[in-house]
Amino acid sequence: MAVEHRIATPHREGSGPAPLILRAVTPTFQPTTVEEDLRKIAATVRLKIVKTIALAGLGHVGGDLSVTDILTALYFAVLDVDPADPTKPERDRFILSKGHCAAAFYSVLALRGFFDPEAVDTFMKPLSPLNGHPNRRKIPGVEANTGPLGHGLPIGLGAAIGAKLSGQSWRTFVVVGDGELQEGSNWEAAMAAGHRGLDNLTVIVDRNRFQQGAGTEATNRLEPLADKFRAFGWDAVDVDGHDVAALHVLLAAKGGDKPRAIIAKTYKGRGVSFMENLVDWHHKVPSAEQVEIALKELTR
Amino acid sequence: MSAAEAPRVAGSVETFDCRVAFADEVIKLARADERIVVVCNDSVGSSNMGAFQKEFPDRLVNVGIAEQNMVGVGAGLANAGMIPFVCAAGPFLTGRATEQIKADCAYSQYPVVLCGMSPGMAYGELGPTHHSIEDFAWMRAIAELTIMAPVDPAETRQAVQWAAQAGKPVYMRVARFKVPAVTGAEHKWEPGKISTLRDGGDVTLAAIGTMVSRAIEAADLLAREGIAARVLNVSTLKPLDEETILKAARETGRIVTAEEAVSTGGLGGAIAELVSQHHPVPMRILGVPGFAPTGDTQFLLDHFGLNVEGLAKAARDLMGTRSRP
Ligand SMILES: Cc1ncc(C[n+]2csc(CCOP(=O)(O)OP(=O)(O)O)c2C)c(N)n1
Ligand SMILES: [Mg+2]
């Protein structure tokens, strides 16, 4: 149940349209493990991202397009979640720690049937439930109100500990940005997860090698990243973060007796030639002309 | 200068992004004083520090996305004799690194200049995680920390100059949401002093930051209704200029406060704490009552009545009068 958050609005009482409440709809795409289908879904997600950001005139297109295949593999091939019952206790938990990539997250949730894909058109518009960063009080399927970086992994750690304590077999997945890993809170959580041998916790690093203003290695070096996780008691594997089939296989497999870090090599702006692998597109908004070119490239 | 930082003409009044004056002044100081350094959290662009970085690449310490480390590093740089300007988006600076601000800067009395960029609801649509509206309340609770919110580019420059040589920790808001120049060229900003921008004996409008220009307009509106409103520009929130506030309480008998911040523990709270103990007068405290819904900055200010009409209405309430056509 979405909880409506009411704020006194002394100057607008009774005015304006009724608040948009997000509810489950018939999914645009059904869950699938067929590679070709997953690719088709990812392509649709990318189109939706670009259209959404063009409409809003705001957003984080670079990281949205780098995380698209990861989110697609998770939501359509891996996660045990049910849009008709988004808070069922035994659901897998997913946390998008890099909450600035809300446009990608909302597009995937909508195409999976958590709410009407048309609602995504209200992204960041006045009084929309779809804020620039995800809000679990208004959006079915969202587990945590992320946005400040470095919060998702500790919350995921708590969920994973909770599952163990209550003897439940559901899993917890957290997607973090690579720049985000500079936040110390991640490493506090990583240390605790390794210490506890939480095989029910998986972190996926969207390793696009850029943060907001520059490359990660030029700013505050992360490498050797897999070894860092290993040193903290994790299994760590590298994967092509745009290969939905490989992502599916890795994500579906349960680890041994350790938490698992999947370092997904990706490109910011993936799929749009003039955005790909360029730091400028962290949160730049494409012009009308650029949107047209981008949509054409993504439709090919 | 990017389009976002260029002055914009709203109606007939030119408005400014104070980050421009801020960066310009820090660079000027840095040219004259080698001890000036900037500390960032992947926020070089959002703090408008690109030009500083170009001119002084070694003196811009970008610690990455790591605010607690950033503030600790600021204290360490001060320990080493440098004058650090720690520049980060307000919510992450004051929220994530609160304890570093308290223990490393304030309690240890290291003269770090903590610069909360894009404060208030400047990041409107990005939502409550990115709004820096708790900063006044959080920072006010910390002893021996000066808190400033310069009102326009001219005050921003003077506040930067003062903070660099203050020899004590300072938190200052650096406005991104565009504001008009409300202080004249002859205005001499004094740390810890409230400036009176309009005189009046019926009601006091005490405002801070983005609310000041709205308070001036509200005073003009009220004047046409026969209400003489005094407008106070509270650009130093702590230490509070108690003398000017108590004088206003005595002379006008009513106080409206307005801040682009939560309505608890900030400017309204500070003034209420003071007058309730020394000269109680009826008050209205305008601020943000909770987590904001989705919307751009202007939408949200209007939504919460943090605008000319909201200020005027609060003043009329205190006067016991209604709007006249
Ligand atoms: C605590 C905190 N500090 C700073 C920011 C501002 N910020 C938003 S996105 C971003 C860069 C993130 O880089 P990365 O994690 O690599 O994400 P991606 O490249 O996938 O977009 C920054 C610094 C923030 N949201 N939270
Ligand atoms: Mg990145």
Side-chain angles (χ1 to χ4, degrees), chain A residues 5 7 9 11-12 58 124-128 131-133 137 147-151 179-180 182-183 185 211-213 219-220, chain B residues 42 46 62-67 92 96 125-130 289 291-295 299 302-305 310 313:
Chain A
H5 180 54
I7 290 176
T9 59
H11 299 271
R12 283 169 189 270
L58 277 169
M124 293 205 239
K125 296 275 190 271
L127 304 182
S128 167
N131 215 326
H133 292 84
R137 296 158 65 170
L149 297 166
H151 284 243
E180 177 177 16
Q182 291 160 351
E183 290 285 2
S185 52
Q211 45 197 94
Q212 182 167 288
T219 305
N220 201 14
Chain B
D42 191 18
S46 55
N62 183 357
V63 298
I65 310 169
E67 294 73 20
F92 313 128
R96 194 57 156 277
E125 306 88 336
L126 297 188
T129 55
H130 284 55
F291 293 122
T294 309
F299 173 85
D302 289 338
H303 182 80
F304 292 121
K313 182 174 178 296

Side-chain angles (χ1 to χ4, degrees), chain A residues 63 66 98 100 176-180 205-212 214-216 222 266 268 282, chain B residues 65:
Chain A
S66 77
K98 42 171 266 179
H100 57 286
V176 299
D178 49 0
E180 177 177 16
V205 182
D206 183 359
R207 185 75 173 109
N208 55 35
R209 301 187 81 87
F210 282 111
Q211 45 197 94
Q212 182 167 288
T216 56
L222 294 173
T266 56
K268 257 179 147 152
H282 175 71
Chain B
I65 310 169

Side-chain angles (χ1 to χ4, degrees), chain A residues 50-136:
Chain A
V50 171
K51 286 181 193 162
T52 299
I53 285 175
L55 264 177
L58 277 169
H60 292 83
V61 70
D64 282 331
L65 294 174
S66 77
V67 81
T68 296
D69 300 296
I70 298 167
L71 294 182
T72 300
L74 277 166
Y75 271 90
F76 288 90
V78 178
L79 292 178
D80 176 5
V81 287
D82 180 3
D85 187 7
T87 56
K88 69 170 181 178
E90 68 277 18
R91 70 192 181 280
D92 285 337
R93 304 307 200 266
F94 172 73
I95 297 164
L96 180 69
S97 192
K98 42 171 266 179
H100 57 286
C101 294
F105 193 20
Y106 299 164
S107 298
V108 167
L109 286 172
L111 294 171
R112 180 73 169 78
F114 281 88
F115 49 86
D116 186 347
E118 269 189 32
V120 181
D121 291 353
T122 69
F123 183 46
M124 293 205 239
K125 296 275 190 271
L127 304 182
S128 167
L130 299 167
N131 215 326
H133 292 84
N135 183 348
R136 68 181 283 268

Side-chain angles (χ1 to χ4, degrees), chain B:
Chain B
M1 196 189 289
S2 78
E5 285 142 11
R8 176 175 60 96
V9 177
S12 58
V13 187
E14 197 178 0
T15 57
F16 303 89
D17 177 341
C18 290
R19 292 178 302 174
V20 177
F22 170 80
D24 190 56
E25 204 56 40
V26 173
I27 289 172
K28 273 190 199 153
L29 289 174
R31 284 182 190 141
D33 189 338
E34 287 189 346
R35 295 172 303 166
I36 303 275
V37 290
V38 168
V39 191
C40 278
N41 63 330
D42 191 18
S43 52
V44 178
S46 55
S47 303
N48 195 33
M49 279 296 153
F52 182 98
Q53 186 177 38
K54 212 170 238 168
E55 190 165 336
F56 308 104
D58 297 343
R59 285 155 68 186
L60 185 128
V61 183
N62 183 357
V63 298
I65 310 169
E67 294 73 20
Q68 300 185 24
N69 191 35
M70 170 181 71
V71 174
V73 165
L77 285 162
N79 165 283
M82 311 300 278
I83 302 173
F85 279 75
V86 173
C87 302
F92 313 128
L93 169 63
T94 62
R96 194 57 156 277
T98 319
E99 190 169 270
Q100 278 77 10
I101 295 174
K102 171 186 167 185
D104 310 356
C105 302
Y107 186 38
S108 302
Q109 275 297 293
Y110 275 120
V112 180
V113 187
L114 302 154
C115 308
M117 315 303 293
S118 307
M121 298 184 293
Y123 287 127
E125 306 88 336
L126 297 188
T129 55
H130 284 55
H131 295 166
S132 185
I133 55 175
E134 299 87 356
D135 58 345
F136 285 157
W138 288 341
M139 297 297 99
R140 267 194 73 227
I142 298 175
E144 298 179 54
L145 179 68
T146 299
I147 305 172
M148 308 188 300
V151 72
D152 62 7
E155 273 201 359
T156 301
R157 285 181 189 278
Q158 297 183 60
V160 165
Q161 289 166 10
W162 178 80
Q165 56 74 57
K168 53 187 172 188
V170 173
Y171 169 66
M172 69 185 280
R173 274 190 174 193
V174 180
R176 168 177 183 260
F177 186 64
K178 292 188 166 67
V179 286
V182 302
T183 62
E186 69 289 345
H187 171 70
K188 178 85 186 75
W189 175 78
E190 280 184 74
K193 284 272 173 291
I194 288 173
S195 52
T196 304
L197 301 180
R198 286 279 194 288
D199 228 335
D202 292 333
V203 59
T204 296
L205 308 179
I208 187 163
T210 46
M211 289 300 111
V212 174
S213 61
R214 288 162 179 79
I216 295 171
E217 278 190 60
D220 292 344
L221 180 68
L222 291 164
R224 292 198 284 278
E225 299 172 14
I227 298 172
R230 178 178 303 190
V231 177
L232 303 183
N233 166 28
V234 188
S235 44
T236 309
L237 177 58
K238 190 176 175 179
L240 191 64
D241 179 353
E242 300 187 345
E243 203 186 309
T244 303
I245 297 287
L246 288 174
K247 184 164 177 278
R250 279 192 304 272
E251 293 177 1
T252 70
R254 305 165 184 90
I255 301 178
V256 176
T257 65
E259 57 202 301
E260 193 182 328
V262 290
S263 44
T264 48
L267 173 67
I271 292 182
E273 287 162 19
L274 178 70
V275 299
S276 65
Q277 297 184 73
H278 298 281
H279 190 94
V281 295
M283 285 184 65
R284 290 287 181 277
I285 295 175
L286 305 186
V288 181
F291 293 122
T294 309
D296 58 66
T297 310
Q298 187 58 58
F299 173 85
L300 294 175
L301 292 178
D302 289 338
H303 182 80
F304 292 121
L306 291 171
N307 53 14
V308 175
E309 188 42 48
L311 272 146
K313 182 174 178 296
R316 285 181 207 120
D317 275 1
L318 287 178
M319 298 293 297
T321 63
R322 286 159 166 276
S323 170
R324 284 181 224 158

